[in-house]
Amino acid sequence: MKSMTSTPEKILDVAQSLIVKGGYNGFSYADISAAIGIRKASIHHHFPTKAELVSALVDRYNQQADAGLKSLRQQFSNPAEQLQTYLNYWQTCIRDAAPPFCVCAMLAGEMQMLPEEVESRVRVHFRSLANWLASVLQAGMELDLFRLDKRPEEVAQMLMASVHGAMLSARAFSDPELFTTIVTPQVARLRAPGC
Amino acid sequence: MKSMTSTPEKILDVAQSLIVKGGYNGFSYADISAAIGIRKASIHHHFPTKAELVSALVDRYNQQADAGLKSLRQQFSNPAEQLQTYLNYWQTCIRDAAPPFCVCAMLAGEMQMLPEEVESRVRVHFRSLANWLASVLQAGMELDLFRLDKRPEEVAQMLMASVHGAMLSARAFSDPELFTTIVTPQVARLRAPGC
DNA sequence: GACAAACTGCCTACCAGTAGGTAGGCGGAA
DNA sequence: TTCCGCCTACCTACTGGTAGGCAGTTTGTC
C-alpha cells in the first residue's frame, strides 16, 4: 500500500516538526532528506528555496489553524467552551510532545532575520489568532459569561501572550504541566461571578 | 585612547545582540569577527567552542540579572515599585530596541537542540527570575499591596509568561508599545483595592 | 487507437560559500 | 623567557542551490 500523504505534505510535516524544535535556522534540506528518505535535490524540486518552503509551511499552518478555530465556534455554542477547547488543544499537544509549540510563536522570535515573505505570514497568524480570541471574548461578554476589565482586543492580546509565554516556560522547565498551571487561572479570571 | 571594554567582553556583547536577533543558530563566529574587527581564530582563542561562548554569555547575563534584581530590592522598599521598575526596564529596552528581547527567553525556544551546558544555564535563569518575582509578590502580599488569588509561586510563573509572551507579540507585530499594553493590566490586577 | 511530445517526480553529481574549529607563528608585555 | 593576544593559513563538514539525466505517466494530434 502506497503512503497516503503526498511527498510535499511529508516534506512540510517534517519541516514543521524541525522548526518547532529549533526554528528557521535550526534545520536544513539535508535533515528533511534524511527523515523522509528522499534526496536533497528532490526537495528543491518541490520547494525551490528554503524561504518558499517555510512560506508554504506557514500558509498551510494558518489555513489549518483558521479551519480549526472556525470549526470550534461551530461545534460549541458557548464561548467559554470554545476558549477552553482551544487551550486544551495546546495542553495535550505539549503534554504528548506532539507539536509542543506553535510554529509561528517560534518564528516570531526570529522575526528580525526571517525572509520578508515568511515574516509577513507569521504576522498574519498572530493577527488572526488575536482576532479569533477577541471575537470569542466579545461573544462571551455579551452572554454575561465573561466580565472583562479591558476591551476584548486588549484582553485577547494578554491571553495570547500568556499562551505563548506558557509554552516557553513549559519548555524551559521541561514541565508540560506548567502550561496549564499558567494558563488556567488566566481564563478563570475572565469568568463572571456566578457561572 | 584604547577601548575600555576588553575583547572577551566585546565578543560577548556582540554575540548577545546577535542571539537576541536570531537565536543560537542565528549567528556565527564570522559574524562576530566582522562586527568587532578581529579574526575568527582570535575569537576561538578566547572561547574555544560555540557552546562555551554561549555558556559564558548566559552566565554573565544571569549574573547581571541577579545583580540588577537584587539592587532593585535595595533601591525600592515598596514591592509594587520593584515590580514596576523591572517591567519598565524591559519596556524601555523594547522601545529603544536596545536588547529588545531576553536572551534566555530566546534560547528557551531552542531548548531542545541546545548543548546541555547552555540548556542548564537557561533553566537557571528562568528559575531565579521566577524566584525573584515570587519573593516580591510574597512581600507585597504581606504589606497588603497585592491581593493574590493563587500562591505567589504560581502568580510569578503567570507574570513571567506574560512578560515573555508580550516580548514575542511586540516583535511579531513590530509594535514596542504592545509590550506595555499587555503587561500593565496584568500587574494592575495584582493590586489590592485601595492602593 | 497509435505515437510523439511534454510533463512528473525523482535521481546523481556538482557548485560556491560558510560553518565551527585547528596549527603554528609573531610581536610585545611581564 | 615565558606568556598573551592576535594573526595567517588551513581543515573538514555542511549549507542552500543548480544542471542535467532518466524512467513513467499524460497529453494532443492524426
Side-chain angles (χ1 to χ4, degrees):
Chain A
M1 172 180 137
K2 276 188 179 176
S3 83
M4 274 177 310
T5 44
S6 69
T7 306
E9 288 294 313
K10 275 196 261 181
I11 293 173
L12 293 183
D13 288 344
V14 171
Q16 182 162 333
S17 79
L18 290 171
I19 286 185
V20 159
K21 278 204 190 84
Y24 189 87
N25 290 307
F27 80 101
S28 72
Y29 274 56
D31 295 328
I32 302 175
S33 156
I36 63 176
I38 206 184
R39 297 294 139 159
K40 252 179 45 180
S42 309
I43 304 174
H44 279 287
H45 170 74
H46 294 285
F47 304 100
T49 69
K50 198 178 183 181
E52 288 177 76
L53 193 161
V54 178
S55 292
L57 178 71
V58 178
D59 279 340
R60 188 185 70 156
Y61 182 75
N62 286 348
Q63 272 177 250
Q64 288 172 346
D66 284 347
L69 294 177
K70 194 179 164 192
S71 85
L72 220 59
R73 302 211 62 176
Q74 291 168 339
Q75 207 174 339
F76 302 99
S77 57
N78 185 333
E81 269 182 291
Q82 291 164 6
L83 193 56
Q84 192 55 55
T85 311
Y86 164 69
L87 297 173
N88 287 345
Y89 166 76
W90 279 115
Q91 194 178 321
T92 56
C93 274
I94 293 168
R95 183 175 352 96
D96 308 348
F101 216 90
C102 168
V103 183
C104 289
M106 196 67 199
L107 292 173
E110 304 172 294
M111 214 61 167
Q112 310 207 359
M113 43 133 289
L114 250 35
E116 273 181 64
E117 16 178 350
V118 178
E119 195 190 312
S120 61
R121 284 169 167 87
V122 171
R123 224 190 302 274
V124 164
H125 176 81
F126 271 74
R127 184 72 61 197
S128 61
L129 177 55
N131 285 343
W132 184 84
L133 287 169
S135 70
V136 170
L137 290 171
Q138 173 78 46
M141 209 168 60
E142 286 166 7
L143 289 170
D144 250 329
L145 293 166
F146 300 144
R147 179 181 324 233
L148 310 185
D149 46 355
K150 293 263 162 192
R151 288 171 38 239
E153 292 78 21
E154 290 175 60
V155 180
Q157 289 287 358
M158 291 169 65
L159 219 46
M160 189 168 73
S162 271
V163 168
H164 292 149
M167 285 176 186
L168 222 51
S169 292
R171 193 164 259 202
F173 289 111
S174 313
D175 175 9
E177 297 305 319
L178 191 51
F179 177 80
T180 314
T181 310
I182 290 171
V183 161
T184 304
Q186 291 285 9
V187 176
R189 283 216 268 243
L190 302 171
R191 295 198 128 83
C195 298
Chain B
M1 171 181 139
K2 275 187 180 177
S3 84
M4 273 176 313
T5 42
S6 69
T7 306
E9 287 293 314
K10 276 195 261 182
I11 293 172
L12 294 183
D13 288 344
V14 171
Q16 182 162 333
S17 79
L18 290 171
I19 286 184
V20 159
K21 277 203 190 84
Y24 188 87
N25 290 307
F27 80 101
S28 72
Y29 273 56
D31 295 329
I32 302 175
S33 156
I36 63 176
I38 207 183
R39 298 293 140 161
K40 253 178 44 181
S42 310
I43 304 175
H44 280 287
H45 170 73
H46 294 286
F47 304 101
T49 69
K50 196 178 183 181
E52 289 177 75
L53 193 161
V54 178
S55 292
L57 178 71
V58 178
D59 279 341
R60 189 185 70 156
Y61 183 75
N62 285 348
Q63 272 177 249
Q64 289 171 345
D66 285 347
L69 294 177
K70 193 179 165 192
S71 84
L72 220 59
R73 302 212 61 175
Q74 292 168 339
Q75 208 175 338
F76 302 97
S77 56
N78 185 332
E81 270 182 291
Q82 291 163 7
L83 193 55
Q84 192 55 56
T85 311
Y86 163 69
L87 297 172
N88 287 345
Y89 166 76
W90 280 116
Q91 194 177 320
T92 57
C93 274
I94 293 167
R95 184 175 352 97
D96 307 348
F101 217 89
C102 168
V103 183
C104 289
M106 197 68 200
L107 293 173
E110 304 172 295
M111 214 62 166
Q112 309 206 359
M113 43 134 291
L114 251 35
E116 273 181 66
E117 17 177 352
V118 177
E119 194 191 313
S120 61
R121 285 168 166 87
V122 171
R123 226 190 302 274
V124 164
H125 176 80
F126 270 75
R127 184 72 62 197
S128 60
L129 177 54
N131 285 343
W132 184 84
L133 287 169
S135 71
V136 170
L137 290 171
Q138 173 77 47
M141 209 168 61
E142 285 166 7
L143 289 171
D144 249 329
L145 294 166
F146 300 144
R147 177 181 325 232
L148 310 184
D149 46 354
K150 292 263 161 191
R151 288 169 41 240
E153 292 78 20
E154 290 177 59
V155 180
Q157 290 286 0
M158 291 169 64
L159 219 45
M160 188 168 74
S162 271
V163 168
H164 293 149
M167 285 176 185
L168 222 51
S169 292
R171 192 164 259 202
F173 289 112
S174 313
D175 176 9
E177 298 306 317
L178 191 52
F179 177 79
T180 314
T181 310
I182 290 171
V183 160
T184 303
Q186 291 285 9
V187 176
R189 284 216 268 243
L190 301 170
R191 296 198 126 84
C195 299

